[in-house]
Amino acid sequence: MKFYAVRRGRRRGVYETWAEAQEQVALYPGAEHRSFRTRAQAEAYLGRHVDDEADALPYVEVHDGGRTTVVALTDEVRAALREAGVAIASE
């Protein structure tokens, strides 16, 4: 069995299938992930216990003329969206 560690993606954590991990990293800018033979190795790659997801950033999908871009929802992106008059569903 393999374990898939997502260090940077929609949700940081250890996943037991590639399909689950892929949901977290597909089209995510700067995604970081690896597979491991043991859960302990995957957790070590993350550098801390996987239940702590405090640093996970939400993301938005920007659709423009048939093209989709995924952007981390940082404070700067929020400000730019507000300035452009775009409503953010989570707020």
Side-chain angles (χ1 to χ4, degrees):
M1 174 179 214
K2 280 189 175 183
F3 294 90
Y4 302 88
V6 174
R7 186 172 6 200
R8 188 162 181 228
R10 290 178 185 85
R11 292 198 94 183
R12 177 184 174 98
V14 175
Y15 299 88
E16 294 184 1
T17 69
W18 170 239
E20 292 173 307
Q22 189 175 27
E23 288 178 19
Q24 308 310 317
V25 299
L27 300 175
Y28 191 89
E32 294 179 24
H33 58 91
R34 283 188 54 195
S35 65
F36 296 91
R37 293 177 62 154
T38 69
R39 179 175 288 279
Q41 289 171 327
E43 288 178 357
Y45 171 75
L46 295 180
R48 62 190 166 94
H49 195 270
V50 297
D51 289 337
D52 184 3
E53 295 182 356
D55 67 344
L57 285 174
Y59 67 96
V60 292
E61 292 182 358
V62 179
H63 302 277
D64 179 30
R67 192 178 86 172
T68 300
T69 305
V70 177
V71 180
L73 193 54
T74 63
D75 291 337
E76 294 163 335
V77 170
R78 283 181 197 274
L81 290 172
R82 282 192 198 107
E83 187 174 309
V86 176
I88 301 171
S90 65
E91 296 184 343

